Amino acid sequence: MARTDLIADIFTIIRNASFVKKEWTQIPASNMIKSILDILKREGYIENFKVIESGTEQKQENLRVYLKYFENGLPALKNLKRISRSGLRVYAKSNK
């Protein structure tokens, strides 16, 4: 299955895993996704992430994302959605 919007798919995977209170979830790796996860980690929305090497059959690496929850059990990420997308580009200054 070809993915047309990888970032939106990744956000959906993370959001759904948070709703069912999973400790971690696994997503396909790319440099862009690693950069996004680095920002989410730095801002305190996820605990951590690491690269999972796949077997010899697959060449695609995966990322294991460790989700973060507050003491009362609520996920740190509740409303995760993509604003700028292929059909509607939204630009912002770097300081925002």
Side-chain angles (χ1 to χ4, degrees):
M1 177 171 102
R3 295 181 184 245
T4 57
D5 192 357
L6 183 61
I7 296 172
D9 292 344
I10 298 305
F11 285 172
T12 300
I13 292 168
I14 293 172
R15 185 175 51 245
N16 289 343
S18 293
F19 283 144
V20 295
K21 309 244 188 277
K22 285 192 168 192
E23 182 181 342
W24 56 268
T25 187
Q26 202 156 302
I27 57 177
S30 75
N31 288 333
M32 180 174 41
I33 298 302
K34 288 178 190 176
S35 297
I36 291 171
L37 290 177
D38 191 42
I39 293 169
L40 290 175
K41 180 183 174 185
R42 186 176 62 230
E43 295 295 324
Y45 290 109
I46 62 173
E47 286 292 331
N48 203 359
F49 68 95
K50 68 177 182 177
V51 176
I52 304 296
E53 298 293 331
S54 57
T56 56
E57 293 178 13
Q58 292 180 327
K59 296 183 180 180
Q60 173 73 35
E61 291 180 334
N62 288 316
L63 295 169
R64 183 169 290 171
V65 181
Y66 295 94
L67 303 173
K68 183 175 182 178
Y69 298 94
F70 296 117
E71 290 179 5
N72 58 3
L74 292 175
L77 278 173
K78 290 194 305 187
N79 295 327
L80 182 64
K81 68 178 184 174
R82 183 163 182 192
I83 302 296
S84 183
R85 56 187 192 271
S86 340
L88 176 65
R89 292 289 178 205
V90 177
Y91 296 97
K93 300 236 182 228
S94 62
N95 59 0
K96 289 187 176 183

